[in-house]
Amino acid sequence: MIDTIEKEDNLISEEEAAQYDRQIRLWGLDAQKRLRGSRVLLVGLRGLGAEVAKNLILAGVKGLTLLDHEQVTQESRYAQFLIPVDADGQNQAQASLERAQLLNPMVEVKADTDAVESKPDDFFFQFDAVCLTRCSKDLMVRVDQLCASRNIKVFCGDVYGYHGYMFSDLGQEHHYVEEKPKVVKGSNKANDGPEAKKLKVDPNETTMVKKTVSFCSLKAALEVDWTNEKAKNNLKRIPVDYFLLQVLLKFRTDKGRDPQPDSFAEDSQLLLQIRNDVLETMGLSSELLPNTFVSYCFSEMAPVCAVVGGVLGQEIVKALSQRDAPHRNFFFFDGLKGSGVVDYFGSK
């Protein structure tokens, strides 16, 4: 069911009304109040993480915790806009805090310098949504399973060179409302023809329609059985980025890092070998992912971070405000083509 707004939360201050005027007009006061009552955990403060943080803070969540244990380097400083130029050697979350808070003083922004792997299970239960970037597959699966038991919404995302993705798990039953044109009855007069009596859409009036949608776990989405006939028949329409993601997650698991430009030759060969192994394990041909992919998946491209971060931030806002249909369940962006696609993987 759509979350109700408590009576004591019915009032909004003049300052908030002025700050959020445009978005209140866009998605309504109740949606803004749900957003205002939500706390979000964001893991990873590189290029994509900074974009997501900016979007959530400007949207007006109640609180945002920035969690990152890594230190600022020249590369990470170039990758995002929240870290000052003189912050080399500092913690990335702490270095991003001041500029993040300045974006919207009405949002409680905190920095956590611990490693996400060290956090106990109950740490995640204090949030309404968790967004994971730059995390291993095992960690993302673990957090997704933990949060599912408490109906906490989970989002994952990463940018690899010209490619980026986001995944969402909003639970078995995610309720939301959607604005639709109002359907009005036609004339009932006896002398009117049959066309006049048909239902018509009035473009000048809208109505709010309640809907429910179901999501599957990240584990199920990444472990599709490609040996059955139905899955094989759909291979031609599957975005190649899905298989690229599997390869890059395996690289991160094996090496404990992402492909690095300063070890391009070595990492390129390893990526090709992992591609062969991963697709063979799936029962698929390595030709699904051409060799040229290795030239376009190194580092974080700022424009790709902006696009994927915009979509990821939008999906978190939609989920928390329970307004409009969510992407279900993957979004893939290909910067070489300049286009993105939404597709569903996993159990229906």
Side-chain angles (χ1 to χ4, degrees), residues 49-334:
E51 291 285 351
V52 175
K54 174 201 69 178
N55 294 329
L56 293 179
I57 292 169
L58 292 176
V61 295
K62 182 177 182 62
L64 178 65
T65 297
L66 311 175
L67 192 152
D68 195 318
H69 71 285
E70 294 184 352
Q71 305 302 305
V72 175
T73 62
Q74 185 181 60
E75 182 185 359
S76 64
R77 187 160 42 79
Y78 287 167
Q80 62 119 302
F81 47 80
L82 294 176
I83 297 177
V85 295
D86 58 351
D88 284 8
Q90 298 180 28
N91 173 268
Q92 287 187 155
Q94 195 66 49
S96 302
L97 181 60
E98 182 178 0
R99 288 183 176 178
Q101 184 65 79
L102 286 173
L103 291 170
N104 188 350
M106 284 181 281
V107 175
E108 301 170 14
V109 186
K110 301 177 182 179
D112 190 324
T113 60
D114 292 341
V116 63
E117 293 85 357
S118 69
K119 293 296 188 183
D121 293 354
D122 58 2
F123 168 77
F124 301 96
F125 299 157
Q126 63 185 297
F127 302 100
D128 300 287
V130 173
C131 179
L132 305 169
T133 70
R134 297 179 60 79
C135 293
S136 69
K137 176 183 173 181
D138 289 345
L139 177 67
M140 291 190 292
V141 168
R142 173 203 161 207
V143 173
D144 183 42
Q145 291 174 337
L146 282 173
C147 292
S149 66
R150 298 296 182 98
N151 200 30
I152 298 168
K153 304 177 192 312
V154 173
F155 300 84
C156 306
D158 270 305
V159 167
Y160 303 94
Y162 286 85
H163 300 272
Y165 87 97
M166 66 141 285
F167 167 84
S168 57
D169 178 6
L170 306 186
Q172 290 297 312
E173 289 188 353
H174 173 67
H175 305 281
Y176 65 95
V177 295
E178 206 170 16
E179 190 172 12
K180 295 287 188 180
K182 190 172 184 179
V183 177
V184 296
K185 292 183 178 180
S187 173
N188 288 322
K189 294 181 180 179
N191 57 346
D192 287 336
E195 287 297 321
K197 296 180 180 179
K198 290 183 178 179
L199 295 177
K200 297 181 179 180
V201 174
D202 185 348
N204 297 317
E205 290 191 53
T206 60
T207 184
M208 303 306 293
V209 180
K210 295 181 180 180
K211 294 187 176 183
T212 301
V213 66
S214 177
F215 285 73
C216 76
S217 68
L218 176 63
K219 188 175 188 294
L222 293 176
E223 295 181 357
V224 175
D225 180 7
W226 295 102
T227 61
N228 70 68
E229 287 303 314
K230 186 176 180 180
K232 284 184 178 180
N233 293 335
N234 287 331
L235 268 179
K236 289 184 178 181
R237 72 163 189 82
I238 300 300
V240 69
D241 296 70
Y242 175 81
F243 303 108
L244 174 60
L245 172 62
Q246 300 274 9
V247 171
L248 290 166
L249 288 178
K250 184 67 166 61
F251 184 101
R252 184 179 286 173
T253 296
D254 291 351
K255 301 291 288 185
R257 61 173 176 85
D258 291 334
Q260 297 293 320
D262 56 6
S263 55
F264 178 81
E266 176 188 345
D267 287 356
S268 294
Q269 291 303 311
L270 183 56
L271 282 167
L272 291 173
Q273 183 59 54
I274 291 176
R275 184 271 316 265
N276 295 340
D277 295 343
V278 166
L279 292 179
E280 181 182 353
T281 301
M282 293 180 175
L284 301 173
S285 168
S286 61
E287 295 178 359
L288 274 174
L289 192 56
N291 291 356
T292 52
F293 83 90
V294 299
S295 299
Y296 305 106
C297 61
F298 285 73
S299 298
E300 285 183 305
M301 299 289 289
V304 180
C305 289
V307 173
V308 179
V311 174
L312 184 47
Q314 165 193 277
E315 290 306 301
I316 297 173
V317 167
K318 284 160 60 177
L320 293 173
S321 64
Q322 297 180 277
R323 179 67 190 267
D324 295 330
H327 287 346
R328 181 177 179 264
N329 54 357
F330 275 100
F331 168 78
F332 296 105
F333 181 72
D334 184 339

Side-chain angles (χ1 to χ4, degrees), residues 30-51:
D30 283 349
Q32 186 63 43
K33 287 176 180 175
R34 293 188 190 97
L35 199 58
R36 186 183 64 171
S38 301
R39 295 187 179 276
V40 181
L41 171 67
L42 173 61
V43 178
L45 267 297
R46 290 290 290 265
L48 179 60
E51 291 285 351

